């Protein structure tokens, strides 16, 4: 059953009556927040998020290149790296966050200060670590874009209240703020200050949540939520906390099984129930967080490289501390392609399949995912072939280095000639990576070429 028909069935078609109610009060009388806001807005002005957002026009930035890229914001294949190439880490979140929020119409709906929201975007962007290969502000902006798309084009905005939509979109923006680039296991194993502070439980996710609300409190000029009524702020915080904490992969199977159990029992989530609405928000942000596997292959590969680079960086730090590098984080070992493939098969694929069952308008994600899973099948076969090729060339004296994980990852998908160049090089450092202007896909070049 599609979400829209379900919510109309549960609420008798009167979506506008629910705009400012918390999930807990949805089944009872009109909330105090709703009564207060009703005096400020005529009944006919209360509309669904979809109707409100359809009236919004794009923002003109004044930069032709940026405006051209942002034209693609309503397409699932939107390539955030094209924007990153122009503005780097100093504006991706600002432009994406501002435009998405504008098109959703949420600032206008809640009469929130646009200048404060823009300051908030700049503040959050500065508090992401720009040197992180993966957990940086571009990732935060990309997850927020995914939520935007679910709300605007996936039908989610017709089911969630505007306050839930605001909490979900904002949570996506901040869900990895101040991420140190080393995972929860590293924090706990090393006994970091964060692990001690949060008692080894959802360490980073708790830190991201705390950092978000602390920044709002310490920067009133960026507290765009200050105009919300007190009860709405409390509901927003509850929704944001549960959403951000759900991105901890240690909670993954518990949340997924809870949703699957409800779908098996009823065939749908009962959005008249607060528990099911929370699960819906959690499923949305969890899917948005790791669904690059359901994006066009060039985008997916770029994110995969970021993940692997951050893994290797952590492995290097662990080695420097006298620790054994964690699984998949030792760049000196042969690349374990099957482990990457297994992550998508065990974690991502079941999550996307279940999310699409709840939000059927996003079914196209499954097609992209299947295609990209085929790519990882090829990845695994290619790695095996390269290892065999290297062994043969070493035996013939045509190569003199071990084909490590990092080199293999760069070689994946390259032509036979490029692979031969890398294998015949004196060492892996003679191979580096650049990105083409057209599709952001990686190509091999030799150091000393292209003016380097």
């Amino acid at each position: 059953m599609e979400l829209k028909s379900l919510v109309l069935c549960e609420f008798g078609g009167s979506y506008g009556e629910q705009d400012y109610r918390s999930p807990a009060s949805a089944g009872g009388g009109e909330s105090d927040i709703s009564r207060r806001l009703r005096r400020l807005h005529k009944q006919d002005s209360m509309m669904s998020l979809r109707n409100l957002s359809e009236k919004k026009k794009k923002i003109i930035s004044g930069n032709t290149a940026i405006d051209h890229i942002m034209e693609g914001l309503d397409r699932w294949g939107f390539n955030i790296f094209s924007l990153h190439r122009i503005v780097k880490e100093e504006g991706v979140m600002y432009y994406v966050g501002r435009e998405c929020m504008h098109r959703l119409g949420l600032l206008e709906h809640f009469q929130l200060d646009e200048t404060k929201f823009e300051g908030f975007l700049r503040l959050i962007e500065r508090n992401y670590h720009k040197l992180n290969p993966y957990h940086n502000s571009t990732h935060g902006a990309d997850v927020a874009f995914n939520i935007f798309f679910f709300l605007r084009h996936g039908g989610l905005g017709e089911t969630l209240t505007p306050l839930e939509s605001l909490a979900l979109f904002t949570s996506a923006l901040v869900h990895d703020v101040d991420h140190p680039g080393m995972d929860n296991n590293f924090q706990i194993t090393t006994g970091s200050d964060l692990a001690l502070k949060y008692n080894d439980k959802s360490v980073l996710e708790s830190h991201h949540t705390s950092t978000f609300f602390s920044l709002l409190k310490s920067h009133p000029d960026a507290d765009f939520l200050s105009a919300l009524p007190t009860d709405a702020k409390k509901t927003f915080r509850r929704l944001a906390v549960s959403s951000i904490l759900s991105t901890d992969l240690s909670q993954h199977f518990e949340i997924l099984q809870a949703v699957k159990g409800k779908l098996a029992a009823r065939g749908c989530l009962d959005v008249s129930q607060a528990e099911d609405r929370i699960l819906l928000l959690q499923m949305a942000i969890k899917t948005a967080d790791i669904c690059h596997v359901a994006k066009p292959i060039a985008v997916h590969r770029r994110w995969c490289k970021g993940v692997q680079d951050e893994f290797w960086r952590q492995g290097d730090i662990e080695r420097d501390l006298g620790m054994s590098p964690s699984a998949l984080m030792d760049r000196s070992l042969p690349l374990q392609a099957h482990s990457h493939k297994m992550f998508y098969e065990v974690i991502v694929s079941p999550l996307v399949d279940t999310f699409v069952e709840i939000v059927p308008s996003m079914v196209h994600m499954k097609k992209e995912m299947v295609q990209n899973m085929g790519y990882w099948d090829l990845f695994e076969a290619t790695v095996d072939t390269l290892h065999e090729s290297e062994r043969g060339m070493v035996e013939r004296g045509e190569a003199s280095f071990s084909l490590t994980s990092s080199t293999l990852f760069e070689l994946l998908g390259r032509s036979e000639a490029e692979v031969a160049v890398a294998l015949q090089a004196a060492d892996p450092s003679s191979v580096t990576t650049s990105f083409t202007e057209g599709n952001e896909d990686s190509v091999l070049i030799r150091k000393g070429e292209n003016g380097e």
Side-chain angles (χ1 to χ4, degrees):
M1 181 180 294
E2 291 197 20
L3 286 169
K4 181 178 179 182
S5 61
L6 177 59
V7 76
L8 290 178
C9 174
E10 294 294 341
F11 292 147
S14 183
Y15 180 81
E17 295 289 327
Q18 306 295 326
D19 274 12
Y20 292 95
R21 297 185 189 186
S22 69
S25 66
E30 186 177 37
S31 69
D32 179 60
I33 298 172
S34 187
R35 283 195 297 272
R36 290 165 58 192
L37 290 169
R38 191 178 299 282
R39 291 196 294 268
L40 300 176
H41 302 277
K42 294 180 180 179
Q43 178 63 37
D44 60 2
S45 71
M46 288 192 171
M47 58 191 74
S48 72
L49 183 59
R50 177 182 180 183
N51 291 334
L52 184 63
S53 66
E54 284 178 347
K55 292 188 174 184
K56 308 306 292 183
K57 302 299 182 181
K58 65 182 181 180
I59 296 175
I60 303 299
S61 72
N63 183 308
T64 303
I66 293 175
D67 291 339
H68 176 71
I69 292 169
M70 298 306 287
E71 288 280 357
L73 200 63
D74 280 303
R75 294 194 296 268
W76 180 245
F78 174 71
N79 190 339
I80 202 166
F81 293 112
S82 297
L83 180 62
H84 179 272
R85 189 171 61 245
I86 298 174
V87 301
K88 305 304 179 185
E89 295 292 342
E90 301 298 332
V92 174
M93 178 167 286
Y94 172 78
Y95 285 107
V96 171
R98 183 182 67 158
E99 183 65 33
C100 287
M101 185 71 92
H102 178 74
R103 295 190 192 188
L104 291 174
L106 290 168
L107 293 181
E108 179 182 345
H109 189 76
F110 290 104
Q111 298 186 333
L112 302 179
D113 190 309
E114 185 174 354
T115 300
K116 285 188 175 182
F117 179 66
E118 292 180 357
F120 167 77
L121 291 172
R122 297 290 195 190
L123 176 64
I124 294 300
E125 194 155 36
R126 289 196 303 271
N127 280 275
Y128 272 89
H129 295 200
K130 66 175 63 178
L131 295 182
N132 285 350
Y134 182 76
H135 289 106
N136 50 47
S137 62
T138 301
H139 168 65
D142 189 59
V143 175
F145 161 76
N146 295 337
I147 292 296
F148 159 80
F149 200 93
F150 297 162
L151 290 169
R152 186 170 163 92
H153 300 288
L156 206 55
E158 300 173 46
T159 300
L160 300 180
T161 68
L163 186 58
E164 289 169 331
S165 297
L166 179 67
L168 182 61
F169 180 74
T170 306
S171 296
L173 287 169
V174 305
H175 81 284
D176 274 329
V177 65
D178 200 34
H179 195 296
M182 282 75 74
D183 63 13
N184 278 334
N185 183 63
F186 179 90
Q187 305 301 323
I188 295 169
T189 301
T190 60
S192 71
D193 290 342
L194 290 178
L196 296 177
K197 181 177 182 179
Y198 297 110
N199 300 312
D200 297 348
K201 185 176 181 181
S202 297
V203 176
L204 293 178
E205 293 73 23
S206 296
H207 177 61
H208 306 321
T209 308
S210 176
T211 299
F212 162 44
F213 286 104
S214 295
L215 287 172
L216 283 183
K217 185 176 181 180
S218 62
H219 295 77
D221 57 333
D223 185 4
F224 72 103
L225 300 172
S226 59
L228 287 178
T230 300
D231 287 348
K233 288 181 182 178
K234 291 179 179 178
T235 300
F236 177 97
R237 176 171 167 78
R238 175 171 57 81
L239 298 174
V241 169
S242 65
S243 295
I244 299 171
L245 292 182
S246 73
T247 61
D248 181 359
L249 278 179
S250 71
Q251 298 185 27
H252 176 79
F253 293 105
E254 178 182 350
I255 294 173
L256 188 60
Q257 289 307 313
V259 173
K260 285 185 173 182
K262 290 178 180 291
L263 293 176
R266 296 194 300 261
C268 62
L269 291 181
D270 182 355
V271 293
S272 69
Q273 301 297 316
E275 179 185 355
D276 286 25
R277 297 186 77 85
I278 290 293
L279 284 174
L280 179 56
L281 295 178
Q282 292 176 334
M283 283 294 294
I285 195 169
K286 284 173 58 61
T287 303
D289 192 20
I290 59 176
C291 72
H292 59 78
V293 71
K295 295 292 185 74
I297 186 63
V299 176
H300 171 52
R301 280 193 54 181
R302 180 76 181 262
W303 284 122
C304 288
K305 185 178 185 304
V307 170
Q308 191 61 70
D309 285 346
E310 196 162 296
F311 278 1
W312 286 327
R313 191 180 70 169
Q314 177 172 323
D316 293 343
I317 294 172
E318 290 172 332
R319 185 181 289 105
D320 290 342
L321 292 174
M323 303 163 56
S324 297
S326 300
L328 301 179
M329 297 185 184
D330 190 342
R331 69 173 73 242
S332 68
L333 296 179
L335 189 62
Q336 299 177 23
H338 68 279
S339 297
H340 292 273
K341 182 181 172 185
M342 185 179 300
F343 176 78
Y344 296 113
E345 290 178 342
V346 176
I347 302 293
V348 182
S349 182
L351 177 65
V352 171
D353 286 344
T354 305
F355 181 70
V356 167
E357 187 175 351
I358 302 170
V359 188
S361 297
M362 295 302 300
V363 67
H364 58 85
M365 292 175 63
K366 295 181 67 171
K367 180 179 179 181
E368 294 273 13
M369 184 173 65
V370 169
Q371 292 175 341
N372 289 339
M373 292 294 285
Y375 171 82
W376 283 99
D377 288 335
L378 179 61
F379 186 118
E380 189 170 16
T382 302
V383 167
D384 291 342
T385 300
L386 287 173
H387 277 303
E388 289 299 323
S389 298
E390 184 212 11
R391 276 193 288 270
M393 296 184 75
V394 169
E395 290 173 357
R396 295 192 299 272
E398 298 172 0
S400 59
F401 70 91
S402 176
L403 202 53
T404 62
S405 293
S406 54
T407 308
L408 276 171
F409 200 83
E410 304 292 3
L411 292 179
L412 183 62
R414 300 301 96 219
S415 69
E416 291 183 7
E418 290 167 329
V419 171
V421 168
L423 290 172
Q424 292 170 2
D427 60 75
S429 64
S430 65
V431 183
T432 186
T433 303
S434 66
F435 291 92
T436 64
E437 290 291 304
N439 62 10
E440 300 292 332
D441 207 1
S442 61
V443 294
L444 284 175
I445 59 175
R446 297 292 299 276
K447 286 185 176 180
E449 297 179 358
N450 296 340
E452 294 186 344

